[in-house]
Amino acid sequence: MQTEDEVRDIRGYLAAQAERVEAALQSVIPAAWRVNETLREAAMYSLNAGGKRLRPILVLAAAEAVGGDAAAEARALPFALAVEMVHTYSLVHDDLPAMDNDDYRRGLPTNHKVYGEAMAILAGDGLLTHAFHVAAQAPALGVPADRALVVVSELSRFAGLAGMVGGQADDMQGEQGITSFEQLEHIHLHKTSDLIAFSLRAGGHAAGATERQLEALERFGRNVGLAFQIHDDVLDVSGDEAKLGKPKGSDERQGKVTYPYLIGLEESERRVRQLTEEAIQAVLSAGLPKPERLVQLARHMMARDY
Amino acid sequence: MQTEDEVRDIRGYLAAQAERVEAALQSVIPAAWRVNETLREAAMYSLNAGGKRLRPILVLAAAEAVGGDAAAEARALPFALAVEMVHTYSLVHDDLPAMDNDDYRRGLPTNHKVYGEAMAILAGDGLLTHAFHVAAQAPALGVPADRALVVVSELSRFAGLAGMVGGQADDMQGEQGITSFEQLEHIHLHKTSDLIAFSLRAGGHAAGATERQLEALERFGRNVGLAFQIHDDVLDVSGDEAKLGKPKGSDERQGKVTYPYLIGLEESERRVRQLTEEAIQAVLSAGLPKPERLVQLARHMMARDY
């Protein structure tokens, strides 16, 4: 459990880090680049559409855990921005009429509702492509080129055909036919956890993590990613509408197959706790100089009511 | 002009290189990767749908020009495959109903006609993402990591918001309103030439090109890319239907603004010759050890009737 002081501390940390990421995103497309104006606007619209900024914050926290100081964290910023761009593109494409056909996200009209389908497709393509550009600039902040190249390779693996994009294909095909816990977990492991696992590894790479540390960070990310998804499902059943900012029970109304639906509410909550503890154990036993923030983040994410 | 022997030689070269690229594309998605089966199939469907393989061939030819031997060319293969994947994803997304809404490409049903819109969007996203993975493997073939990272950075710049994706946004918005030569040229410079210019630079990087050589290669690519586009427009007016594999005059029927429409057939042909000569001069005056193949390729592309 978290004390009130801890909650205040972690909330302050999350707000400050989100602000830092959002400030950096404003100049992520170089002002000097000649970019089609509508395309630039469409890309920035979705980058600025809010969200918890969870992935970039995890990149920074992982770098701090491994490097032990603010300098290590600063070197990880390009990777933090890159992962947020990849996450954003995936939402833009996911909302398209041919995909989930969503008109609103986080209370705002989705990209294609504002800019049209063609521009939304291009804005997504542009954000995805540009993520690699931003990641590749990490050596300017002191990350060795060979490490930065490994991060590029991992970003494409965790976000690509065998990772997030593959998970979305599984999800799309499975929408009617998910009947087992294993199927559901397989989809979320790729659709959500892969990019979170990448975030932890990327932060580790920026701080020069060893192979053993990278594995521990990845395990932390994978477990926290799954716990995050299950907790979301749980909140949709038992959460507080005012804090969630959306009506309860929307998953059930949409016929979505969720963890509570498949294994029950109590077992879902038990699984969130178990995954979170495993995540915490992974980073506590990896000999990291400063794992505290990651531990706090894992505890907080499990306890959140929003 | 080309002699008959030269034509035979360059045709043999093009066929052999295309075959080499196509063979390598078969294992570009590692067999060991667990990938959603339909997604893998959809990605491979478009990778295998033919085309001239012009961009990857130019990557390989640039590496040969700079390195002077087959070893330099071999090191460039990952970049050749990456650029073909980026080109392929752009065609898959370009053909979508929300974009150009094409049912056929190169005589085959387009990706979304076979696999549905959602899967076509994901296959495009997956191909784009995977291109960076393949490019990042170049150090395994002997390309230094810092060079490979520069290629990643350039791929994302030339293919991204300020490059190909930007050109597509310009094109989409301009469809009704192109009235000047400058507008048309601006669109093609980004939509087509940027990725070709990248191809030349990437081959150069693989062979350790100097800054001056890279600039000459880029100029070659930019000019050849534009000449290629203008020549396509010319062939649509004056070409041989049997050799083109499609009916003549389709640009005019679709109301497409082309070079012959804006500046006339004769001036268009003159411009193709001029751009080609400038391209050839660029590589001949850059002190490259083996520029002959690039010169041959430029001459051949200007003379082609297909």
Side-chain angles (χ1 to χ4, degrees):
Chain A
M1 282 302 295
Q2 297 175 293
T3 66
E4 263 183 57
D5 272 2
E6 276 169 359
V7 170
R8 228 187 332 265
D9 176 47
I10 190 76
R11 292 212 161 181
Y13 170 81
L14 286 170
Q17 293 292 73
E19 203 174 308
R20 181 180 175 191
V21 167
E22 281 162 12
L25 284 173
Q26 301 320 304
S27 53
V28 87
I29 306 172
W33 279 17
R34 278 188 61 187
V35 177
N36 176 290
E37 262 317 304
T38 318
L39 182 66
R40 188 192 280 266
E41 209 186 298
M44 289 311 300
Y45 175 80
S46 287
L47 278 179
N48 283 329
K52 303 180 186 73
R53 313 297 187 189
L54 175 65
R55 291 157 190 79
I57 291 174
L58 286 169
V59 174
L60 299 175
E64 193 198 19
V66 172
D69 59 13
E73 210 191 349
R75 281 199 296 280
L77 190 61
F79 304 148
L81 302 176
V83 78
E84 188 65 4
M85 279 184 275
V86 169
H87 176 56
T88 302
Y89 114 79
S90 78
L91 301 181
V92 172
H93 280 189
D94 223 28
D95 288 337
L96 286 167
M99 306 278 287
D100 286 354
N101 194 20
D102 279 317
D103 293 352
Y104 289 91
R105 176 173 292 273
R106 299 172 189 146
L108 291 172
T110 46
N111 199 292
H112 65 273
K113 294 306 279 183
V114 180
Y115 298 98
E117 268 185 75
M119 198 52 87
I121 293 169
L122 291 174
D125 292 344
L127 283 166
L128 169 56
T129 310
H130 197 57
F132 289 97
H133 194 267
V134 173
Q137 309 316 309
L141 298 185
V143 178
D146 54 347
R147 278 282 186 164
L149 193 66
V150 168
V151 172
V152 163
S153 179
E154 293 187 0
L155 177 55
S156 52
R157 183 156 59 84
F158 284 90
L161 293 165
M164 185 184 71
V165 171
Q168 284 178 305
D170 289 338
D171 190 21
M172 209 184 67
Q173 290 191 314
E175 252 157 31
Q176 267 71 50
I178 301 173
T179 52
S180 75
F181 176 75
E182 286 70 26
Q183 267 180 299
L184 186 66
E185 190 123 312
H186 174 81
I187 289 171
H188 288 308
L189 263 177
H190 292 298
K191 200 181 156 162
T192 307
S193 290
D194 271 346
L195 203 58
I196 295 180
F198 163 78
S199 302
L200 275 291
R201 288 185 66 96
H205 280 302
T210 64
E211 198 48 56
R212 184 170 155 249
Q213 290 174 331
L214 290 169
E215 277 165 26
L217 290 168
E218 180 175 344
R219 198 160 340 120
F220 176 91
R222 217 166 265 300
N223 284 344
V224 159
L226 262 187
F228 186 82
Q229 182 62 51
I230 302 174
H231 192 59
D232 257 5
D233 285 0
V234 167
L235 285 176
D236 188 73
V237 178
S238 64
D240 177 331
E241 295 196 353
K243 286 177 180 160
L244 287 175
K246 62 174 187 179
K248 268 173 26 173
S250 63
D251 287 346
E252 199 184 336
R253 280 192 299 280
Q254 288 172 31
K256 247 179 78 175
V257 175
T258 65
Y259 283 88
Y261 173 85
L262 276 183
I263 60 176
L265 198 58
E266 214 169 302
E267 176 62 16
S268 298
E269 285 171 337
R270 199 192 61 76
R271 190 142 173 75
V272 171
R273 284 193 302 276
Q274 188 198 332
L275 287 164
T276 302
E277 281 316 311
E278 281 174 23
I280 291 170
Q281 280 317 309
V283 294
L284 284 181
S285 60
L288 298 173
K290 215 177 160 191
E292 297 80 13
R293 197 57 89 177
L294 288 176
V295 173
Q296 259 189 322
L297 281 169
R299 292 237 160 85
H300 179 74
M301 279 157 63
M302 175 184 80
R304 82 196 143 89
D305 54 7
Y306 60 98
Chain B
M1 281 300 295
Q2 297 176 293
T3 67
E4 262 183 56
D5 272 3
E6 276 170 0
V7 171
R8 230 187 330 265
D9 177 47
I10 191 75
R11 291 212 161 180
Y13 170 80
L14 286 170
Q17 293 293 73
E19 203 174 306
R20 181 179 175 192
V21 167
E22 281 162 13
L25 283 172
Q26 302 319 304
S27 53
V28 88
I29 306 172
W33 279 17
R34 278 189 62 189
V35 177
N36 176 291
E37 262 317 303
T38 317
L39 182 66
R40 188 193 279 268
E41 211 185 298
M44 289 310 300
Y45 174 80
S46 289
L47 279 180
N48 284 328
K52 303 182 186 71
R53 311 300 186 186
L54 174 66
R55 291 157 191 81
I57 292 173
L58 285 169
V59 174
L60 299 175
E64 194 199 18
V66 172
D69 60 13
E73 210 192 347
R75 281 199 295 279
L77 190 61
F79 304 148
L81 301 176
V83 78
E84 187 65 5
M85 279 184 276
V86 168
H87 176 56
T88 302
Y89 114 77
S90 77
L91 301 181
V92 171
H93 280 189
D94 223 29
D95 288 336
L96 286 168
M99 306 277 288
D100 286 352
N101 195 19
D102 279 317
D103 292 352
Y104 288 91
R105 177 174 289 274
R106 299 172 189 146
L108 291 172
T110 46
N111 199 294
H112 65 273
K113 293 306 279 185
V114 181
Y115 297 99
E117 268 185 73
M119 197 54 86
I121 293 169
L122 291 175
D125 292 343
L127 284 166
L128 169 58
T129 311
H130 197 55
F132 289 97
H133 194 266
V134 173
Q137 310 315 308
L141 298 185
V143 178
D146 54 347
R147 279 279 187 165
L149 194 66
V150 168
V151 173
V152 162
S153 179
E154 292 187 0
L155 178 55
S156 52
R157 184 156 58 84
F158 285 89
L161 293 165
M164 185 184 71
V165 171
Q168 284 178 306
D170 290 337
D171 190 22
M172 208 185 70
Q173 290 192 316
E175 252 158 30
Q176 267 72 50
I178 301 175
T179 52
S180 76
F181 175 75
E182 286 69 29
Q183 266 181 300
L184 185 67
E185 191 123 312
H186 175 82
I187 289 171
H188 287 308
L189 263 178
H190 293 298
K191 198 180 157 163
T192 307
S193 289
D194 270 347
L195 203 57
I196 295 181
F198 163 78
S199 302
L200 275 290
R201 288 184 66 96
H205 280 303
T210 64
E211 200 47 57
R212 185 171 153 247
Q213 291 173 332
L214 290 170
E215 277 166 27
L217 290 168
E218 180 174 343
R219 199 158 342 119
F220 176 91
R222 216 166 266 298
N223 284 344
V224 159
L226 264 188
F228 186 82
Q229 183 60 52
I230 302 175
H231 192 59
D232 257 6
D233 286 0
V234 167
L235 286 175
D236 188 72
V237 178
S238 64
D240 178 332
E241 295 196 352
K243 285 176 180 160
L244 287 173
K246 61 173 187 180
K248 270 178 16 181
S250 64
D251 287 346
E252 200 185 334
R253 280 192 299 280
Q254 288 172 31
K256 247 178 79 176
V257 175
T258 65
Y259 282 88
Y261 173 83
L262 276 183
I263 59 175
L265 198 58
E266 215 169 301
E267 176 61 17
S268 298
E269 285 170 339
R270 201 193 60 76
R271 189 142 174 76
V272 170
R273 284 193 302 275
Q274 188 199 330
L275 287 164
T276 303
E277 281 316 311
E278 282 174 22
I280 291 170
Q281 280 318 310
V283 294
L284 284 181
S285 60
L288 299 173
K290 216 178 161 191
E292 297 80 12
R293 197 56 91 179
L294 289 176
V295 173
Q296 261 188 320
L297 282 168
R299 292 236 160 85
H300 179 75
M301 278 158 62
M302 175 184 78
R304 80 196 145 89
D305 54 5
Y306 60 97

